[in-house]
Amino acid sequence: MSEIDIRKLTCLVIRKDGKYLVGAILGTRELRWSDSCYDAWRTREMEKARWAAKITGGTMMLFNPAAGQLREMK
């Protein structure tokens, strides 16, 4: 069995006002937010994260769920 490189689990999430973007509610323009970064929408694609941060007014954050690490993307 091969080992998992936890660095490859690092992703980008969006934070705004202490909450994390989960997604959009279908059929509406309303966004869903959570207090937990573990619930957040995740991507490894910089352009998608940049777009989501721009339209929400949020901040891109680096998140590694396996290590429990979260920090602002600079």
Side-chain angles (χ1 to χ4, degrees), residues 50-73:
R50 200 172 277 133
W51 175 81
K54 182 178 179 181
I55 65 166
T56 63
T59 303
M60 291 191 309
M61 306 292 292
L62 285 169
F63 175 53
N64 186 307
Q69 296 176 332
L70 178 71
R71 68 178 175 92
E72 187 173 340
M73 176 75 184

Side-chain angles (χ1 to χ4, degrees), residues 3-33:
E3 292 185 26
I4 297 173
D5 182 355
I6 69 167
R7 293 174 295 182
K8 291 184 178 180
L9 298 177
T10 299
C11 58
L12 294 157
V13 299
I14 306 301
R15 182 172 69 188
K16 181 179 178 182
D17 300 329
K19 297 201 180 267
Y20 299 89
L21 178 65
V22 174
I25 299 172
L26 289 176
T28 72
R29 300 188 86 192
E30 189 176 341
L31 298 176
R32 178 158 290 151
W33 297 86

